[in-house]
Amino acid sequence: MSKFKKKKGGGLPPINTAALPDIVFMLLFFFMVATEMREDTLKIKNAMPVADQVEKLDKKNPVSFIYMGTPKDEFQKNFGTEARIQLNDKFADVSEVIAFIGAERAALREELVPFLTVSLKVDKKSNMGIVGDVKQELRKANALKINYATGTGDATSNMK
């Protein structure tokens, strides 16, 4: 009989997980740096009027933007020179505003829905008729918190 016995079925050694937190944080920082927040691509001319008494919107409340103005030069061939509505990244008709507000509300958490503000970014050369039509549709959608976006400056420069 031998003094030394051979180990049977030694198995695999345990996996070293010491570097795992480093790898996780490295991936986290990579995605934080590489991720780009989505912005709307404007397809309309949007030179907003200026005002001297301006307040910023609350960052904690959700805001949906509706852009109005004449299409940019590259889009005038397809959409004409009349003032148009842009919802997110596409041109829309006045009748699509209610569906847009419904989709924006559906994307929010339930407790934030009453705080949804609709910000109208209207070109200063736009006709007020389109703004009135959009406001009527917003009333039908029960979106009553409306904000008019402006730039800061002397309000008398809007007359030029």
Side-chain angles (χ1 to χ4, degrees):
M1 191 159 258
S2 68
K3 284 185 170 182
F4 302 104
K5 294 183 181 178
K6 288 187 179 181
K7 290 184 180 179
K8 292 186 180 178
L12 295 174
I15 297 174
N16 185 4
T17 59
L20 191 60
D22 295 335
I23 294 170
V24 169
F25 283 113
M26 187 173 55
L27 285 172
L28 175 71
F29 288 130
F30 170 76
F31 286 115
M32 285 174 52
V33 171
T35 302
E36 182 178 323
M37 299 306 280
R38 186 177 186 280
E39 295 277 331
D40 292 334
T41 304
L42 283 182
K43 296 180 179 180
I44 61 168
K45 296 176 186 173
N46 199 310
M48 292 185 292
V50 293
D52 53 3
Q53 296 179 4
V54 180
E55 290 181 31
K56 287 197 172 209
L57 284 174
D58 224 356
K59 291 249 184 208
K60 61 184 176 185
N61 290 339
V63 180
S64 295
F65 295 99
I66 297 178
Y67 303 96
M68 289 176 258
T70 57
K72 287 185 177 178
D73 295 334
E74 60 264 22
F75 299 107
Q76 285 185 356
K77 182 180 177 185
N78 296 331
F79 298 102
T81 58
E82 279 293 312
R84 301 286 310 237
I85 301 169
Q86 180 180 337
L87 304 174
N88 289 336
D89 283 338
K90 68 179 186 84
F91 286 113
D93 193 31
V94 177
S95 60
E96 297 175 45
V97 172
I98 294 175
F100 171 72
I101 295 299
E104 292 289 308
R105 284 180 176 154
L108 292 174
R109 294 192 322 253
E110 190 174 336
E111 62 269 9
L112 293 177
V113 171
F115 300 108
L116 177 67
T117 303
V118 179
S119 181
L120 302 178
K121 291 192 172 187
V122 184
D123 185 49
K124 63 182 172 183
K125 295 180 182 176
S126 291
N127 188 343
M128 275 304 289
I130 193 168
V131 177
D133 294 343
V134 168
K135 284 177 57 177
Q136 289 296 332
E137 292 297 309
L138 290 172
R139 284 186 193 125
K140 291 177 189 174
N142 201 24
L144 304 177
K145 290 181 78 173
I146 299 174
N147 171 51
Y148 290 97
T150 65
T152 56
D154 185 23
T156 57
S157 66
N158 293 327
M159 300 297 183
K160 296 176 185 174

